[in-house]
Amino acid sequence: MAGTDEEAVAAADDALYVLTAVLLTPAKFPSVLGDDYPEACAALGLPPVADGYGLVLGQDGEGARWTVVVDDVSLVAVAIASWDCGMEHDLSPDERTVVTALPGWPLAVAVAAPNVPAPHDPSLEIAGRPPLTASRRENRAGLAFVTPTFLVVLVVVLIPILWTVLLAFQNAGLVDIQGMGILGNWTLDNFRHVLGSAGFWSSLLTTLIYTVGATAGSVVLGLMAALALRRPFRGRGLLRGSMLLPYVAPVVAVAFVWEVALSPQYGIVNEWGKTVLGWDDPIAFLSTREYEVSLLGLHVDIPLALLTVIAFEIWRYFPFAFLFLLARLQAVPDGLEEAAMVDGATISQRFRHILLPQLMPVIALLCVLRFIMTFNKFDDVYLLTGGGSGTDVAAVRVYDFLTSRYDVGAAAAQALVLAVILMALLGIYFTFFARKVQEES
């Protein structure tokens, strides 16, 4: 007997306890099945393939006889050779190699699995249910572990997405949503209304400027902080911990602090501007759409409120990039920079030719993650400006459609349009730039 022990008997009732195995090949096959290989295959209802089969004979937890047919002939041959030499060998065919499972044994077997009922043919009710091999048991266990996570994702992510798609194609008001069914009055009016509404395209441009500026700024500032704090010095741990404060602090609290600090009436920034920089009048950073700046004799209007919101986004999320980049910098071997210093490389050369190639995969990942997060950002902008003064990003417009106009269908349609635009932008990145970044790294 091979492949059975006391622990195996404690498994599930539909597990297969392997007793022995035989080969069914053109060169070797059980003579009780026929005079030649095709006849032996026909006796089991199998097509006579050139490579042949391996027949694994065993019992399930109820003692029923089963013959598992596999196409991995070498696996079965190794097991038979090991048993003939008196060595233990665990014959567990992979589920992908199983051709079929036949009830009963095609030849007499004088042994039986311990601690299970006596060998017998399976009943008609379970004859069509094959026993589980070791790999199939592992797959079933893996499915059991994955199922709770899948259910959470289904309820929290997939169902809301599908519900949003359905609402985008229906005339749905906030007061009508409770009585709506899945099969409502389908229409494209929501998309026409969204794409043709005043301010949609300017809002999309504002969103792109806000997203690109905040993403680039947070990654660059995080890189600078990581480079500055990579070497040991007194108080480095405390300074590293303080770097995380903007990221871990509640957004409501930090947004309120920025509103107070930038207030034109009592803000500390305007107070310093008057006393240190000589400002004549206070500046309303969060409520000024355009502010005229004189630079080298030229008068330029800058979107002050939008730049302020971008600065807030950079300050709040640069610790996210700082953590990623610092972890990668700590993994760079010191010998690389030491060898470059011996060769006379400058600081900029060491950064360009040694550190930057090591950091490029992490920087690319950060840019993608921050772009997705910032493109969908709502709370930061809404808490600081409410979407006014030129900061009407797309996420705020979706909120306005829902709460000000009570138009659930239009809000869902705009959210769907933004998702398509975001996927298109990411598709362009992965198509044209991702491979280049990987090659450079």
Side-chain angles (χ1 to χ4, degrees), residues 339-363:
M341 292 176 63
V342 172
D343 291 338
T346 62
I347 296 178
S348 60
Q349 290 174 332
R350 296 199 302 269
F351 174 76
R352 171 65 183 86
H353 298 287
I354 296 178
L355 295 180
L356 190 59
Q358 301 281 340
L359 295 175
M360 280 307 297
V362 180
I363 292 176

Side-chain angles (χ1 to χ4, degrees), residues 84-107:
D84 291 341
C85 296
M87 297 185 297
E88 294 184 0
H89 186 87
D90 183 16
L91 178 56
S92 299
D94 189 89
E95 183 179 6
R96 293 169 295 183
T97 66
V98 176
V99 177
T100 185
L102 305 174
W105 294 334
L107 64 161

Side-chain angles (χ1 to χ4, degrees), residues 175-181:
V175 296
D176 304 325
I177 194 170
Q178 289 185 350
M180 291 182 57

Side-chain angles (χ1 to χ4, degrees), residues 124-402:
L124 296 178
E125 291 78 9
I126 64 173
R129 185 189 66 189
L132 293 180
T133 61
S135 61
R136 295 179 64 187
R137 291 198 301 271
E138 292 177 359
N139 292 340
R140 178 172 290 188
L143 183 62
F145 285 120
V146 171
T147 299
T149 303
F150 173 76
L151 293 177
V152 172
V153 173
L154 178 66
V155 174
V156 178
V157 179
L158 297 181
I159 292 180
I161 290 177
L162 294 177
W163 182 238
T164 302
V165 173
L166 292 175
L167 290 176
F169 291 93
Q170 301 185 50
N171 289 323
L174 192 60
V175 296
D176 304 325
I177 194 170
Q178 289 185 350
M180 291 182 57
I182 296 179
L183 300 177
N185 297 321
W186 297 89
T187 179
L188 295 176
D189 292 341
N190 291 328
F191 294 94
R192 299 190 189 98
H193 178 55
V194 168
L195 297 176
S197 62
F200 172 76
W201 298 106
S202 62
S203 172
L204 183 60
L205 178 61
T206 301
T207 303
L208 291 176
I209 295 174
Y210 167 71
T211 302
V212 173
T215 299
S218 61
V219 173
V220 171
L221 187 58
L223 176 60
M224 295 171 59
L227 292 172
L229 300 181
R230 62 185 298 238
R231 300 297 185 187
F233 60 87
R234 185 180 297 274
R236 185 185 65 167
L238 180 61
L239 191 56
R240 281 182 175 180
S242 64
M243 285 288 182
L244 303 179
L245 182 60
Y247 186 66
V248 300
V251 62
V252 176
V254 294
F256 179 75
V257 170
W258 272 63
E259 287 182 354
V260 172
L262 298 176
S263 172
Q265 287 82 23
Y266 44 80
I268 190 173
V269 174
N270 278 288
E271 184 65 26
W272 286 350
K274 290 180 181 179
T275 57
V276 178
L277 302 178
W279 293 353
D280 296 330
D281 299 315
I283 300 175
F285 289 92
L286 297 175
S287 58
T288 302
R289 185 184 187 93
E290 294 183 350
Y291 186 79
E292 184 178 300
V293 176
S294 298
L295 183 63
L296 300 177
L298 299 176
H299 297 281
V300 181
D301 291 331
I302 61 172
L304 184 59
L306 180 59
L307 292 178
T308 304
V309 172
I310 292 175
F312 175 83
E313 190 77 7
I314 293 172
W315 170 82
R316 175 160 168 75
Y317 291 101
F318 88 90
F320 182 80
F322 166 74
L323 286 176
F324 277 70
L325 295 170
L326 182 61
R328 185 64 187 92
L329 283 173
Q330 299 288 27
V332 176
D334 295 333
L336 295 178
E337 290 190 84
E338 293 174 356
M341 292 176 63
V342 172
D343 291 338
T346 62
I347 296 178
S348 60
Q349 290 174 332
R350 296 199 302 269
F351 174 76
R352 171 65 183 86
H353 298 287
I354 296 178
L355 295 180
L356 190 59
Q358 301 281 340
L359 295 175
M360 280 307 297
V362 180
I363 292 176
L365 176 63
L366 284 171
C367 289
V368 173
L369 293 178
R370 287 305 314 151
F371 189 93
I372 296 173
M373 296 176 184
T374 310
F375 191 88
N376 297 311
K377 182 60 66 174
F378 164 78
D379 49 356
D380 295 353
V381 179
Y382 191 79
L383 289 172
L384 289 174
T385 65
S389 305
T391 62
D392 53 335
V393 295
V396 175
R397 281 181 58 85
V398 173
Y399 179 78
D400 289 338
F401 269 105
L402 183 61

